[in-house]
Amino acid sequence: MGAMTEPTGLFDPDGIVWQRVSGRLVTARLISLGIGIGLPVVVLAVLAVLLTPWLWLPAAVLLVIGVACASVIARQVHAIGYAERADDLLIRKGVLFRSLVVVPYGRMQFVDVSAGPLARALGIASVQLHTASPTTDASIDGLEPGEAARLRDRLASRGEAQLAGL
């Protein structure tokens, strides 16, 4: 995890130093993809051998989809970044379809840190920001647990300060 300043889009603010997420998020997403697509491919392959060779066709289609998805995961993770500013938090994501979410500290209601079994095994966590509007919730996946806890505490204190009018 480190800082990055390279330009990434026409709507990115100037002078922002983006913080990167952990590269272990690539591994987590590849494992999830392998389970989600690899397992059905294996089942279809076994059924193709036992029942009918026509089942090789959907297995091949799933395999091609899996390889295509796997080929972009590293770029997707590299495109994720966040930056803390004085009044808000910026979160950017996406390679082909980019998004920039601006969450004002005064709008945050609470901040969650979570990590499932795979994330814990890989030493990463997610920070979820909740606001009054469910459509403006934002999350940052792939943070190291220490950074996730630091960010949670910092965002919570900044949110309280904004609500108090400081």
Side-chain angles (χ1 to χ4, degrees):
M1 188 165 59
M4 58 181 162
T5 56
E6 69 269 7
T8 59
L10 297 175
F11 54 88
D12 283 354
D14 291 331
I16 295 296
V17 177
W18 295 102
Q19 298 298 316
R20 288 186 178 167
V21 297
S22 173
R24 290 178 286 211
L25 182 58
V26 173
T27 305
R29 289 188 175 180
L30 286 173
I31 290 171
S32 296
L33 179 67
I35 292 169
I37 293 209
L39 190 61
V41 167
V42 170
V43 169
L44 285 170
V46 169
L47 291 175
V49 170
L50 296 175
L51 300 176
T52 176
W54 285 102
L55 290 176
W56 284 112
L57 184 60
V61 169
L62 277 178
L63 191 59
V64 168
I65 291 170
V67 168
C69 290
S71 69
V72 298
I73 285 177
R75 288 193 60 209
Q76 287 175 333
V77 169
H78 182 73
I80 298 171
Y82 65 98
E84 297 175 64
R85 295 196 302 185
D87 295 325
D88 50 32
L89 177 74
L90 305 176
I91 303 171
R92 70 166 196 192
K93 296 179 182 179
V95 176
L96 184 59
F97 297 98
R98 295 189 178 183
S99 70
L100 176 65
V101 178
V102 180
V103 183
Y105 297 130
R107 299 279 184 170
M108 284 190 277
Q109 292 184 327
F110 61 97
V111 182
D112 283 336
V113 175
S114 62
L118 179 60
R120 282 194 315 272
L122 293 171
I124 56 176
S126 296
V127 171
Q128 175 86 30
L129 307 159
H130 298 275
T131 64
S133 171
T135 59
T136 58
D137 289 356
S139 66
I140 307 170
D141 298 329
L143 295 173
E144 298 197 16
E147 174 63 9
R150 183 203 68 80
L151 188 60
R152 177 200 60 215
D153 295 343
R154 186 165 168 99
L155 293 175
S157 67
R158 283 186 168 186
E160 290 172 7
Q162 288 285 331
L163 285 175
L166 301 176

